[in-house]
Amino acid sequence: DAGVTQSPTHLIKTRGQQVTLRCSPKSGHDTVSWYQQALGQGPQFIFQYYEEEERQRGNFPDRFSGHQFPNYSSELNVNALLLGDSALYLCASSWQLAGNSYEQYFGPGTRLTVT
Amino acid sequence: GDSVTQMEGPVTLSEEAFLTINCTYTATGYPSLFWYVQYPGEGLQLLLKATKADDKGSNKGFEATYRKETTSFHLEKGSVQVSDSAVYFCALSDRGSWGKLQFGAGTQVVVTP
């Protein structure tokens, strides 16, 4: 059973450009969340997708947008890149367990460098 | 809002030493608590979890007990190995938040032979 996969592994972009990151969830999972992890820090929640809609969002600007497809895979788009967007972007998938609890499984991440 | 505070690293230990990483949290409800581990160049792996007060999570020799009275979830291992060298993250997820995780800053652990 494949776990959560992300592509690409690494990406270098120039300030002002746009980027799209991709994520395929673990088999059987219907919810995808995205996190940003700056160097030396803990991951920060960007947003979560369920049933092809954004269900909740963290404190990130509208430059960050996403999409979920019918097969539950997801994309994260970032427009007008800033140097501060350089980070490891983590995708996590989950589904609802008993007792309304969830368990997030993380992918290996995409390392984005903005120059 | 919710928050998680971890002890700062790096924590440097010799092989077979006892490891403790302190974690305290602030939450309005009764969150689930987690420890994740991140090896160099990799994503996060769930190490253990606890969903209610007094629950003990355990995995691979690591343990942590959900202490509601002290709002803590300290991670312990009795005898560390070089392969335990990694960054450890404490996290919480509020009930009703569909699993959204709030992470601490992480604690780097370095185990030397």
Side-chain angles (χ1 to χ4, degrees), chain A residues 35 37 40-43 45 48 55-56 88 90 97 102-104 106-108, chain B residues 34 36 38 42-44 46 49 89 95-101 103-105:
Chain A
Y35 293 80
Q37 185 181 16
Q41 298 182 24
F45 177 77
Q48 183 182 81
R55 179 158 64 181
Q56 56 179 330
L88 181 67
L90 296 165
L97 304 172
Y102 292 78
E103 201 169 284
Q104 304 266 331
F106 283 82
Chain B
F34 304 84
Y36 281 85
Q38 186 173 38
E42 297 185 12
L44 300 174
L46 177 62
K49 69 175 184 180
F89 291 93
R95 297 194 192 287
S97 72
W98 299 295
K100 180 181 73 173
L101 291 165
F103 285 92

PDB file of all heavy atoms in Angstrom, chain A residues 35 37 40-43 45 48 55-56 88 90 97 102-104 106-108, chain B residues 34 36 38 42-44 46 49 89 95-101 103-105:
ATOM      1  N   TYR A  35       0.678  21.677   4.885  1.00  0.00           N
ATOM      2  CA  TYR A  35       1.413  22.378   5.933  1.00  0.00           C
ATOM      3  C   TYR A  35       2.674  22.985   5.326  1.00  0.00           C
ATOM      4  O   TYR A  35       3.277  22.408   4.405  1.00  0.00           O
ATOM      5  CB  TYR A  35       1.833  21.423   7.052  1.00  0.00           C
ATOM      6  CG  TYR A  35       0.678  20.852   7.853  1.00  0.00           C
ATOM      7  CD1 TYR A  35      -0.072  19.789   7.373  1.00  0.00           C
ATOM      8  CD2 TYR A  35       0.344  21.387   9.094  1.00  0.00           C
ATOM      9  CE1 TYR A  35      -1.125  19.261   8.104  1.00  0.00           C
ATOM     10  CE2 TYR A  35      -0.707  20.870   9.845  1.00  0.00           C
ATOM     11  CZ  TYR A  35      -1.430  19.798   9.330  1.00  0.00           C
ATOM     12  OH  TYR A  35      -2.483  19.284  10.057  1.00  0.00           O
ATOM     13  N   GLN A  37       6.514  24.120   6.394  1.00  0.00           N
ATOM     14  CA  GLN A  37       7.515  23.993   7.443  1.00  0.00           C
ATOM     15  C   GLN A  37       8.754  24.800   7.056  1.00  0.00           C
ATOM     16  O   GLN A  37       9.539  24.379   6.201  1.00  0.00           O
ATOM     17  CB  GLN A  37       7.887  22.529   7.683  1.00  0.00           C
ATOM     18  CG  GLN A  37       8.842  22.351   8.859  1.00  0.00           C
ATOM     19  CD  GLN A  37       9.235  20.900   9.092  1.00  0.00           C
ATOM     20  OE1 GLN A  37       9.049  20.036   8.250  1.00  0.00           O
ATOM     21  NE2 GLN A  37       9.781  20.619  10.274  1.00  0.00           N
ATOM     22  N   GLY A  40      13.922  24.866  10.501  1.00  0.00           N
ATOM     23  CA  GLY A  40      14.091  24.936  11.943  1.00  0.00           C
ATOM     24  C   GLY A  40      12.822  25.187  12.728  1.00  0.00           C
ATOM     25  O   GLY A  40      12.885  25.430  13.941  1.00  0.00           O
ATOM     26  N   GLN A  41      11.685  25.098  12.077  1.00  0.00           N
ATOM     27  CA  GLN A  41      10.412  25.349  12.756  1.00  0.00           C
ATOM     28  C   GLN A  41       9.462  24.171  12.614  1.00  0.00           C
ATOM     29  O   GLN A  41       9.697  23.258  11.824  1.00  0.00           O
ATOM     30  CB  GLN A  41       9.761  26.609  12.184  1.00  0.00           C
ATOM     31  CG  GLN A  41      10.578  27.862  12.384  1.00  0.00           C
ATOM     32  CD  GLN A  41       9.866  29.097  11.854  1.00  0.00           C
ATOM     33  OE1 GLN A  41       8.642  29.114  11.739  1.00  0.00           O
ATOM     34  NE2 GLN A  41      10.627  30.116  11.543  1.00  0.00           N
ATOM     35  N   GLY A  42       8.389  24.219  13.380  1.00  0.00           N
ATOM     36  CA  GLY A  42       7.355  23.217  13.248  1.00  0.00           C
ATOM     37  C   GLY A  42       6.440  23.532  12.072  1.00  0.00           C
ATOM     38  O   GLY A  42       6.339  24.687  11.645  1.00  0.00           O
ATOM     39  N   PRO A  43       5.778  22.533  11.540  1.00  0.00           N
ATOM     40  CA  PRO A  43       4.853  22.759  10.428  1.00  0.00           C
ATOM     41  C   PRO A  43       3.696  23.665  10.832  1.00  0.00           C
ATOM     42  O   PRO A  43       3.193  23.585  11.958  1.00  0.00           O
ATOM     43  CB  PRO A  43       4.354  21.351  10.089  1.00  0.00           C
ATOM     44  CG  PRO A  43       5.402  20.427  10.629  1.00  0.00           C
ATOM     45  CD  PRO A  43       5.914  21.096  11.856  1.00  0.00           C
ATOM     46  N   PHE A  45      -0.198  24.897   9.617  1.00  0.00           N
ATOM     47  CA  PHE A  45      -1.349  24.470   8.828  1.00  0.00           C
ATOM     48  C   PHE A  45      -1.724  25.530   7.810  1.00  0.00           C
ATOM     49  O   PHE A  45      -1.925  26.701   8.165  1.00  0.00           O
ATOM     50  CB  PHE A  45      -2.513  24.191   9.770  1.00  0.00           C
ATOM     51  CG  PHE A  45      -3.795  23.817   9.100  1.00  0.00           C
ATOM     52  CD1 PHE A  45      -3.984  22.545   8.595  1.00  0.00           C
ATOM     53  CD2 PHE A  45      -4.826  24.735   8.987  1.00  0.00           C
ATOM     54  CE1 PHE A  45      -5.170  22.191   7.994  1.00  0.00           C
ATOM     55  CE2 PHE A  45      -6.024  24.393   8.386  1.00  0.00           C
ATOM     56  CZ  PHE A  45      -6.199  23.115   7.890  1.00  0.00           C
ATOM     57  N   GLN A  48      -7.151  22.656   4.442  1.00  0.00           N
ATOM     58  CA  GLN A  48      -7.567  21.262   4.364  1.00  0.00           C
ATOM     59  C   GLN A  48      -8.683  21.126   3.334  1.00  0.00           C
ATOM     60  O   GLN A  48      -9.593  21.951   3.287  1.00  0.00           O
ATOM     61  CB  GLN A  48      -8.077  20.789   5.722  1.00  0.00           C
ATOM     62  CG  GLN A  48      -8.474  19.324   5.788  1.00  0.00           C
ATOM     63  CD  GLN A  48      -9.007  18.950   7.159  1.00  0.00           C
ATOM     64  OE1 GLN A  48     -10.172  19.192   7.479  1.00  0.00           O
ATOM     65  NE2 GLN A  48      -8.138  18.375   7.984  1.00  0.00           N
ATOM     66  N   ARG A  55     -12.201  22.985   3.418  1.00  0.00           N
ATOM     67  CA  ARG A  55     -13.027  22.864   4.618  1.00  0.00           C
ATOM     68  C   ARG A  55     -12.583  23.835   5.709  1.00  0.00           C
ATOM     69  O   ARG A  55     -13.395  24.336   6.463  1.00  0.00           O
ATOM     70  CB  ARG A  55     -13.001  21.437   5.137  1.00  0.00           C
ATOM     71  CG  ARG A  55     -13.812  21.230   6.397  1.00  0.00           C
ATOM     72  CD  ARG A  55     -14.211  19.788   6.603  1.00  0.00           C
ATOM     73  NE  ARG A  55     -13.080  18.902   6.814  1.00  0.00           N
ATOM     74  CZ  ARG A  55     -13.223  17.589   7.000  1.00  0.00           C
ATOM     75  NH1 ARG A  55     -14.409  17.024   7.000  1.00  0.00           N
ATOM     76  NH2 ARG A  55     -12.148  16.827   7.172  1.00  0.00           N
ATOM     77  N   GLN A  56     -11.280  24.042   5.820  1.00  0.00           N
ATOM     78  CA  GLN A  56     -10.771  24.987   6.808  1.00  0.00           C
ATOM     79  C   GLN A  56      -9.426  25.500   6.344  1.00  0.00           C
ATOM     80  O   GLN A  56      -8.740  24.860   5.536  1.00  0.00           O
ATOM     81  CB  GLN A  56     -10.676  24.345   8.195  1.00  0.00           C
ATOM     82  CG  GLN A  56      -9.842  23.089   8.257  1.00  0.00           C
ATOM     83  CD  GLN A  56      -9.762  22.503   9.653  1.00  0.00           C
ATOM     84  OE1 GLN A  56      -9.814  23.195  10.667  1.00  0.00           O
ATOM     85  NE2 GLN A  56      -9.625  21.185   9.734  1.00  0.00           N
ATOM     86  N   LEU A  88       9.678  23.731   3.327  1.00  0.00           N
ATOM     87  CA  LEU A  88       9.258  22.368   2.994  1.00  0.00           C
ATOM     88  C   LEU A  88       7.738  22.337   3.081  1.00  0.00           C
ATOM     89  O   LEU A  88       7.162  22.704   4.108  1.00  0.00           O
ATOM     90  CB  LEU A  88       9.863  21.369   3.980  1.00  0.00           C
ATOM     91  CG  LEU A  88       9.540  19.889   3.766  1.00  0.00           C
ATOM     92  CD1 LEU A  88      10.177  19.374   2.472  1.00  0.00           C
ATOM     93  CD2 LEU A  88      10.014  19.055   4.960  1.00  0.00           C
ATOM     94  N   LEU A  90       4.464  20.158   3.198  1.00  0.00           N
ATOM     95  CA  LEU A  90       4.054  18.810   3.562  1.00  0.00           C
ATOM     96  C   LEU A  90       2.576  18.612   3.291  1.00  0.00           C
ATOM     97  O   LEU A  90       1.754  19.453   3.635  1.00  0.00           O
ATOM     98  CB  LEU A  90       4.341  18.557   5.045  1.00  0.00           C
ATOM     99  CG  LEU A  90       5.811  18.576   5.453  1.00  0.00           C
ATOM    100  CD1 LEU A  90       5.933  18.693   6.961  1.00  0.00           C
ATOM    101  CD2 LEU A  90       6.516  17.327   4.953  1.00  0.00           C
ATOM    102  N   LEU A  97     -11.670   8.392  11.946  1.00  0.00           N
ATOM    103  CA  LEU A  97     -11.654   7.145  12.705  1.00  0.00           C
ATOM    104  C   LEU A  97     -12.843   7.116  13.669  1.00  0.00           C
ATOM    105  O   LEU A  97     -13.620   8.060  13.727  1.00  0.00           O
ATOM    106  CB  LEU A  97     -10.346   7.041  13.490  1.00  0.00           C
ATOM    107  CG  LEU A  97      -9.050   7.134  12.691  1.00  0.00           C
ATOM    108  CD1 LEU A  97      -7.852   7.204  13.618  1.00  0.00           C
ATOM    109  CD2 LEU A  97      -8.926   5.962  11.740  1.00  0.00           C
ATOM    110  N   TYR A 102      -9.033  11.655  14.152  1.00  0.00           N
ATOM    111  CA  TYR A 102      -8.318  11.564  12.884  1.00  0.00           C
ATOM    112  C   TYR A 102      -6.859  11.231  13.142  1.00  0.00           C
ATOM    113  O   TYR A 102      -6.332  11.522  14.207  1.00  0.00           O
ATOM    114  CB  TYR A 102      -8.403  12.896  12.132  1.00  0.00           C
ATOM    115  CG  TYR A 102      -9.780  13.250  11.630  1.00  0.00           C
ATOM    116  CD1 TYR A 102     -10.734  13.750  12.501  1.00  0.00           C
ATOM    117  CD2 TYR A 102     -10.123  13.085  10.300  1.00  0.00           C
ATOM    118  CE1 TYR A 102     -12.007  14.072  12.055  1.00  0.00           C
ATOM    119  CE2 TYR A 102     -11.390  13.407   9.843  1.00  0.00           C
ATOM    120  CZ  TYR A 102     -12.328  13.900  10.721  1.00  0.00           C
ATOM    121  OH  TYR A 102     -13.584  14.225  10.280  1.00  0.00           O
ATOM    122  N   GLU A 103      -6.204  10.655  12.142  1.00  0.00           N
ATOM    123  CA  GLU A 103      -4.765  10.383  12.225  1.00  0.00           C
ATOM    124  C   GLU A 103      -4.161  10.813  10.901  1.00  0.00           C
ATOM    125  O   GLU A 103      -4.537  10.318   9.848  1.00  0.00           O
ATOM    126  CB  GLU A 103      -4.541   8.891  12.465  1.00  0.00           C
ATOM    127  CG  GLU A 103      -3.203   8.543  13.047  1.00  0.00           C
ATOM    128  CD  GLU A 103      -3.165   7.096  13.514  1.00  0.00           C
ATOM    129  OE1 GLU A 103      -3.732   6.795  14.585  1.00  0.00           O
ATOM    130  OE2 GLU A 103      -2.583   6.280  12.779  1.00  0.00           O
ATOM    131  N   GLN A 104      -3.237  11.766  10.982  1.00  0.00           N
ATOM    132  CA  GLN A 104      -2.651  12.330   9.774  1.00  0.00           C
ATOM    133  C   GLN A 104      -1.418  11.541   9.366  1.00  0.00           C
ATOM    134  O   GLN A 104      -0.531  11.293  10.181  1.00  0.00           O
ATOM    135  CB  GLN A 104      -2.245  13.786  10.041  1.00  0.00           C
ATOM    136  CG  GLN A 104      -3.357  14.666  10.539  1.00  0.00           C
ATOM    137  CD  GLN A 104      -4.042  15.414   9.431  1.00  0.00           C
ATOM    138  OE1 GLN A 104      -3.446  15.726   8.427  1.00  0.00           O
ATOM    139  NE2 GLN A 104      -5.319  15.703   9.621  1.00  0.00           N
ATOM    140  N   PHE A 106       1.758  11.725   6.749  1.00  0.00           N
ATOM    141  CA  PHE A 106       2.462  12.751   5.986  1.00  0.00           C
ATOM    142  C   PHE A 106       3.258  12.164   4.826  1.00  0.00           C
ATOM    143  O   PHE A 106       3.812  11.056   4.923  1.00  0.00           O
ATOM    144  CB  PHE A 106       3.426  13.526   6.896  1.00  0.00           C
ATOM    145  CG  PHE A 106       2.738  14.526   7.771  1.00  0.00           C
ATOM    146  CD1 PHE A 106       2.135  14.133   8.955  1.00  0.00           C
ATOM    147  CD2 PHE A 106       2.674  15.860   7.396  1.00  0.00           C
ATOM    148  CE1 PHE A 106       1.479  15.065   9.765  1.00  0.00           C
ATOM    149  CE2 PHE A 106       2.028  16.788   8.199  1.00  0.00           C
ATOM    150  CZ  PHE A 106       1.435  16.388   9.378  1.00  0.00           C
ATOM    151  N   GLY A 107       3.332  12.948   3.764  1.00  0.00           N
ATOM    152  CA  GLY A 107       4.221  12.641   2.665  1.00  0.00           C
ATOM    153  C   GLY A 107       5.629  13.132   2.949  1.00  0.00           C
ATOM    154  O   GLY A 107       5.866  13.777   3.978  1.00  0.00           O
ATOM    155  N   PRO A 108       6.560  12.872   2.032  1.00  0.00           N
ATOM    156  CA  PRO A 108       7.961  13.263   2.244  1.00  0.00           C
ATOM    157  C   PRO A 108       8.212  14.755   2.062  1.00  0.00           C
ATOM    158  O   PRO A 108       9.260  15.255   2.457  1.00  0.00           O
ATOM    159  CB  PRO A 108       8.707  12.463   1.180  1.00  0.00           C
ATOM    160  CG  PRO A 108       7.699  12.234   0.106  1.00  0.00           C
ATOM    161  CD  PRO A 108       6.381  12.104   0.794  1.00  0.00           C
TER     162      PRO A 108
ATOM    163  N   PHE B  34      -0.119  14.154  20.135  1.00  0.00           N
ATOM    164  CA  PHE B  34       0.698  13.335  19.253  1.00  0.00           C
ATOM    165  C   PHE B  34       2.181  13.668  19.429  1.00  0.00           C
ATOM    166  O   PHE B  34       2.533  14.800  19.774  1.00  0.00           O
ATOM    167  CB  PHE B  34       0.342  13.599  17.778  1.00  0.00           C
ATOM    168  CG  PHE B  34      -1.100  13.408  17.434  1.00  0.00           C
ATOM    169  CD1 PHE B  34      -2.025  14.419  17.650  1.00  0.00           C
ATOM    170  CD2 PHE B  34      -1.533  12.225  16.864  1.00  0.00           C
ATOM    171  CE1 PHE B  34      -3.366  14.248  17.329  1.00  0.00           C
ATOM    172  CE2 PHE B  34      -2.867  12.040  16.537  1.00  0.00           C
ATOM    173  CZ  PHE B  34      -3.784  13.058  16.769  1.00  0.00           C
ATOM    174  N   TYR B  36       5.362  13.287  16.709  1.00  0.00           N
ATOM    175  CA  TYR B  36       5.836  12.942  15.374  1.00  0.00           C
ATOM    176  C   TYR B  36       7.357  13.010  15.378  1.00  0.00           C
ATOM    177  O   TYR B  36       7.959  13.791  16.112  1.00  0.00           O
ATOM    178  CB  TYR B  36       5.290  13.921  14.328  1.00  0.00           C
ATOM    179  CG  TYR B  36       3.867  13.659  13.908  1.00  0.00           C
ATOM    180  CD1 TYR B  36       2.805  14.170  14.639  1.00  0.00           C
ATOM    181  CD2 TYR B  36       3.589  12.908  12.770  1.00  0.00           C
ATOM    182  CE1 TYR B  36       1.499  13.933  14.250  1.00  0.00           C
ATOM    183  CE2 TYR B  36       2.281  12.669  12.365  1.00  0.00           C
ATOM    184  CZ  TYR B  36       1.248  13.179  13.118  1.00  0.00           C
ATOM    185  OH  TYR B  36      -0.053  12.941  12.723  1.00  0.00           O
ATOM    186  N   GLN B  38      10.828  13.323  12.728  1.00  0.00           N
ATOM    187  CA  GLN B  38      11.281  13.689  11.383  1.00  0.00           C
ATOM    188  C   GLN B  38      12.764  13.374  11.270  1.00  0.00           C
ATOM    189  O   GLN B  38      13.587  14.020  11.923  1.00  0.00           O
ATOM    190  CB  GLN B  38      11.017  15.169  11.105  1.00  0.00           C
ATOM    191  CG  GLN B  38      11.315  15.588   9.682  1.00  0.00           C
ATOM    192  CD  GLN B  38      10.869  17.021   9.397  1.00  0.00           C
ATOM    193  OE1 GLN B  38      10.997  17.896  10.244  1.00  0.00           O
ATOM    194  NE2 GLN B  38      10.336  17.263   8.217  1.00  0.00           N
ATOM    195  N   GLU B  42      13.465  13.963   5.473  1.00  0.00           N
ATOM    196  CA  GLU B  42      12.219  13.210   5.291  1.00  0.00           C
ATOM    197  C   GLU B  42      11.024  13.979   5.824  1.00  0.00           C
ATOM    198  O   GLU B  42      11.152  15.037   6.447  1.00  0.00           O
ATOM    199  CB  GLU B  42      12.330  11.856   5.990  1.00  0.00           C
ATOM    200  CG  GLU B  42      13.415  10.955   5.433  1.00  0.00           C
ATOM    201  CD  GLU B  42      13.401   9.580   6.073  1.00  0.00           C
ATOM    202  OE1 GLU B  42      12.428   9.238   6.776  1.00  0.00           O
ATOM    203  OE2 GLU B  42      14.384   8.842   5.859  1.00  0.00           O
ATOM    204  N   GLY B  43       9.832  13.423   5.575  1.00  0.00           N
ATOM    205  CA  GLY B  43       8.610  13.999   6.130  1.00  0.00           C
ATOM    206  C   GLY B  43       8.410  13.540   7.561  1.00  0.00           C
ATOM    207  O   GLY B  43       9.324  13.020   8.196  1.00  0.00           O
ATOM    208  N   LEU B  44       7.212  13.748   8.073  1.00  0.00           N
ATOM    209  CA  LEU B  44       6.902  13.414   9.454  1.00  0.00           C
ATOM    210  C   LEU B  44       6.305  12.021   9.562  1.00  0.00           C
ATOM    211  O   LEU B  44       5.481  11.631   8.742  1.00  0.00           O
ATOM    212  CB  LEU B  44       5.891  14.407  10.022  1.00  0.00           C
ATOM    213  CG  LEU B  44       6.312  15.871  10.057  1.00  0.00           C
ATOM    214  CD1 LEU B  44       5.168  16.735  10.511  1.00  0.00           C
ATOM    215  CD2 LEU B  44       7.499  16.050  10.971  1.00  0.00           C
ATOM    216  N   LEU B  46       4.254   9.521  12.336  1.00  0.00           N
ATOM    217  CA  LEU B  46       3.581   9.460  13.625  1.00  0.00           C
ATOM    218  C   LEU B  46       4.298   8.458  14.515  1.00  0.00           C
ATOM    219  O   LEU B  46       4.487   7.298  14.145  1.00  0.00           O
ATOM    220  CB  LEU B  46       2.121   9.039  13.440  1.00  0.00           C
ATOM    221  CG  LEU B  46       1.311   8.862  14.709  1.00  0.00           C
ATOM    222  CD1 LEU B  46       1.205  10.185  15.479  1.00  0.00           C
ATOM    223  CD2 LEU B  46      -0.082   8.326  14.393  1.00  0.00           C
ATOM    224  N   LYS B  49       0.422   8.407  19.987  1.00  0.00           N
ATOM    225  CA  LYS B  49      -0.665   9.354  20.227  1.00  0.00           C
ATOM    226  C   LYS B  49      -1.441   8.953  21.469  1.00  0.00           C
ATOM    227  O   LYS B  49      -1.348   7.816  21.944  1.00  0.00           O
ATOM    228  CB  LYS B  49      -1.605   9.404  19.026  1.00  0.00           C
ATOM    229  CG  LYS B  49      -2.419   8.127  18.834  1.00  0.00           C
ATOM    230  CD  LYS B  49      -3.429   8.281  17.707  1.00  0.00           C
ATOM    231  CE  LYS B  49      -4.301   7.034  17.594  1.00  0.00           C
ATOM    232  NZ  LYS B  49      -5.299   7.151  16.501  1.00  0.00           N
ATOM    233  N   PHE B  89       8.545  16.249  17.195  1.00  0.00           N
ATOM    234  CA  PHE B  89       7.533  17.295  17.275  1.00  0.00           C
ATOM    235  C   PHE B  89       6.362  16.818  18.129  1.00  0.00           C
ATOM    236  O   PHE B  89       5.808  15.741  17.875  1.00  0.00           O
ATOM    237  CB  PHE B  89       6.994  17.654  15.892  1.00  0.00           C
ATOM    238  CG  PHE B  89       7.979  18.349  15.006  1.00  0.00           C
ATOM    239  CD1 PHE B  89       8.762  17.620  14.118  1.00  0.00           C
ATOM    240  CD2 PHE B  89       8.137  19.722  15.054  1.00  0.00           C
ATOM    241  CE1 PHE B  89       9.682  18.253  13.292  1.00  0.00           C
ATOM    242  CE2 PHE B  89       9.055  20.369  14.242  1.00  0.00           C
ATOM    243  CZ  PHE B  89       9.827  19.626  13.358  1.00  0.00           C
ATOM    244  N   ARG B  95     -10.758  18.477  19.245  1.00  0.00           N
ATOM    245  CA  ARG B  95     -11.955  17.775  18.774  1.00  0.00           C
ATOM    246  C   ARG B  95     -12.765  18.744  17.929  1.00  0.00           C
ATOM    247  O   ARG B  95     -12.879  19.913  18.240  1.00  0.00           O
ATOM    248  CB  ARG B  95     -12.779  17.301  19.964  1.00  0.00           C
ATOM    249  CG  ARG B  95     -12.039  16.308  20.808  1.00  0.00           C
ATOM    250  CD  ARG B  95     -12.920  15.580  21.787  1.00  0.00           C
ATOM    251  NE  ARG B  95     -12.115  14.855  22.750  1.00  0.00           N
ATOM    252  CZ  ARG B  95     -11.429  13.754  22.485  1.00  0.00           C
ATOM    253  NH1 ARG B  95     -11.465  13.247  21.281  1.00  0.00           N
ATOM    254  NH2 ARG B  95     -10.725  13.151  23.416  1.00  0.00           N
ATOM    255  N   GLY B  96     -13.283  18.257  16.848  1.00  0.00           N
ATOM    256  CA  GLY B  96     -14.057  19.100  15.957  1.00  0.00           C
ATOM    257  C   GLY B  96     -13.222  19.869  14.960  1.00  0.00           C
ATOM    258  O   GLY B  96     -13.747  20.696  14.220  1.00  0.00           O
ATOM    259  N   SER B  97     -11.923  19.633  14.931  1.00  0.00           N
ATOM    260  CA  SER B  97     -11.065  20.354  13.993  1.00  0.00           C
ATOM    261  C   SER B  97     -10.665  19.474  12.811  1.00  0.00           C
ATOM    262  O   SER B  97      -9.747  19.827  12.071  1.00  0.00           O
ATOM    263  CB  SER B  97      -9.820  20.868  14.715  1.00  0.00           C
ATOM    264  OG  SER B  97      -8.935  19.804  15.030  1.00  0.00           O
ATOM    265  N   TRP B  98     -11.338  18.336  12.676  1.00  0.00           N
ATOM    266  CA  TRP B  98     -11.070  17.416  11.567  1.00  0.00           C
ATOM    267  C   TRP B  98      -9.598  17.054  11.438  1.00  0.00           C
ATOM    268  O   TRP B  98      -9.067  16.900  10.338  1.00  0.00           O
ATOM    269  CB  TRP B  98     -11.575  18.010  10.245  1.00  0.00           C
ATOM    270  CG  TRP B  98     -13.038  18.259  10.217  1.00  0.00           C
ATOM    271  CD1 TRP B  98     -14.036  17.327  10.285  1.00  0.00           C
ATOM    272  CD2 TRP B  98     -13.684  19.538  10.138  1.00  0.00           C
ATOM    273  NE1 TRP B  98     -15.265  17.965  10.235  1.00  0.00           N
ATOM    274  CE2 TRP B  98     -15.081  19.300  10.147  1.00  0.00           C
ATOM    275  CE3 TRP B  98     -13.211  20.847  10.043  1.00  0.00           C
ATOM    276  CZ2 TRP B  98     -16.009  20.336  10.078  1.00  0.00           C
ATOM    277  CZ3 TRP B  98     -14.142  21.874   9.962  1.00  0.00           C
ATOM    278  CH2 TRP B  98     -15.519  21.609   9.980  1.00  0.00           C
ATOM    279  N   GLY B  99      -8.956  16.915  12.577  1.00  0.00           N
ATOM    280  CA  GLY B  99      -7.594  16.435  12.572  1.00  0.00           C
ATOM    281  C   GLY B  99      -6.521  17.487  12.352  1.00  0.00           C
ATOM    282  O   GLY B  99      -5.333  17.150  12.283  1.00  0.00           O
ATOM    283  N   LYS B 100      -6.909  18.749  12.247  1.00  0.00           N
ATOM    284  CA  LYS B 100      -5.910  19.800  12.043  1.00  0.00           C
ATOM    285  C   LYS B 100      -4.910  19.774  13.193  1.00  0.00           C
ATOM    286  O   LYS B 100      -5.282  19.749  14.355  1.00  0.00           O
ATOM    287  CB  LYS B 100      -6.583  21.168  11.985  1.00  0.00           C
ATOM    288  CG  LYS B 100      -5.614  22.317  11.764  1.00  0.00           C
ATOM    289  CD  LYS B 100      -6.327  23.651  11.730  1.00  0.00           C
ATOM    290  CE  LYS B 100      -6.796  24.080  13.096  1.00  0.00           C
ATOM    291  NZ  LYS B 100      -7.346  25.443  13.086  1.00  0.00           N
ATOM    292  N   LEU B 101      -3.629  19.810  12.848  1.00  0.00           N
ATOM    293  CA  LEU B 101      -2.569  19.700  13.850  1.00  0.00           C
ATOM    294  C   LEU B 101      -1.928  21.047  14.144  1.00  0.00           C
ATOM    295  O   LEU B 101      -1.644  21.824  13.235  1.00  0.00           O
ATOM    296  CB  LEU B 101      -1.489  18.722  13.377  1.00  0.00           C
ATOM    297  CG  LEU B 101      -1.901  17.251  13.322  1.00  0.00           C
ATOM    298  CD1 LEU B 101      -0.900  16.449  12.512  1.00  0.00           C
ATOM    299  CD2 LEU B 101      -2.039  16.679  14.724  1.00  0.00           C
ATOM    300  N   PHE B 103       1.498  22.269  15.890  1.00  0.00           N
ATOM    301  CA  PHE B 103       2.779  21.690  16.255  1.00  0.00           C
ATOM    302  C   PHE B 103       3.580  22.600  17.177  1.00  0.00           C
ATOM    303  O   PHE B 103       3.457  23.836  17.131  1.00  0.00           O
ATOM    304  CB  PHE B 103       3.629  21.455  15.000  1.00  0.00           C
ATOM    305  CG  PHE B 103       3.206  20.286  14.171  1.00  0.00           C
ATOM    306  CD1 PHE B 103       2.301  20.455  13.130  1.00  0.00           C
ATOM    307  CD2 PHE B 103       3.725  19.026  14.403  1.00  0.00           C
ATOM    308  CE1 PHE B 103       1.909  19.377  12.355  1.00  0.00           C
ATOM    309  CE2 PHE B 103       3.342  17.941  13.628  1.00  0.00           C
ATOM    310  CZ  PHE B 103       2.433  18.125  12.594  1.00  0.00           C
ATOM    311  N   GLY B 104       4.437  21.959  17.967  1.00  0.00           N
ATOM    312  CA  GLY B 104       5.486  22.696  18.649  1.00  0.00           C
ATOM    313  C   GLY B 104       6.623  22.951  17.680  1.00  0.00           C
ATOM    314  O   GLY B 104       6.594  22.524  16.522  1.00  0.00           O
ATOM    315  N   ALA B 105       7.651  23.626  18.163  1.00  0.00           N
ATOM    316  CA  ALA B 105       8.772  24.037  17.310  1.00  0.00           C
ATOM    317  C   ALA B 105       9.729  22.899  16.986  1.00  0.00           C
ATOM    318  O   ALA B 105      10.579  23.038  16.111  1.00  0.00           O
ATOM    319  CB  ALA B 105       9.527  25.185  17.962  1.00  0.00           C
TER     320      ALA B 105
END
